Amino acid sequence: MDPLTRIRAICLDLPECSERLSHGCPTFFVRQKTSFVKYIGGGYDEPGPTIWCPAPEGVQAELVDAEPERFFVPPYVGPSGWIGVRLDIDPDWGEFAEIIHDAYRKVAPKKLVAELDR
């Protein structure tokens, strides 16, 4: 299955999530205004598909240090704690879903997070 199709399914299953293009890339938003996942099919010095998403404090450094072949600091948003995830290197879709859910929890209103946690 195409990685975008899988990412889309994970994201759009979250409460009040929507998708639209942002800077030419499929991007997923909470309540149509706050982005939490950007899908990039290739580019920005990455040969394959990646996602960029906000991570809980300290997670970016932890993942990049532990597995630099799979995780990276993305340009532009990396200084804000976002993590880059290479989708074509040892893909673990369960782990990707957890990363996406953590990104959603980081930006979504408390009411929606509570709905997700039920």
Side-chain angles (χ1 to χ4, degrees):
M1 183 182 290
D2 172 52
L4 176 56
T5 302
R6 287 179 173 221
I7 295 298
R8 183 176 283 132
I10 295 166
C11 291
L12 294 178
D13 193 41
L14 297 168
E16 297 190 42
C17 174
S18 62
E19 175 186 356
R20 71 175 183 272
L21 290 179
S22 177
H23 299 92
C25 299
T27 305
F28 299 88
F29 295 83
V30 177
R31 292 190 170 162
Q32 300 184 14
K33 62 181 182 178
T34 305
S35 68
F36 70 99
V37 172
K38 179 179 284 289
Y39 174 86
I40 299 164
Y44 296 98
D45 296 328
E46 294 295 329
T50 64
I51 57 170
W52 300 357
C53 51
E57 191 169 326
V59 170
Q60 179 198 67
E62 180 182 315
L63 291 175
V64 172
D65 289 346
E67 296 184 75
E69 67 283 350
R70 293 181 61 218
F71 301 102
F72 63 97
V73 177
Y76 311 111
V77 294
S80 297
W82 284 48
I83 187 76
V85 183
R86 296 180 180 101
L87 302 177
D88 59 348
I89 297 176
D90 192 23
D92 179 340
W93 289 98
E95 180 181 39
F96 297 160
E98 287 179 30
I99 290 168
I100 290 169
H101 285 194
D102 286 346
Y104 180 88
R105 283 183 178 92
K106 183 135 174 81
V107 303
K110 289 178 184 178
K111 177 182 175 186
L112 294 181
V113 172
E115 187 177 324
L116 176 65
D117 290 339
R118 277 188 276 216

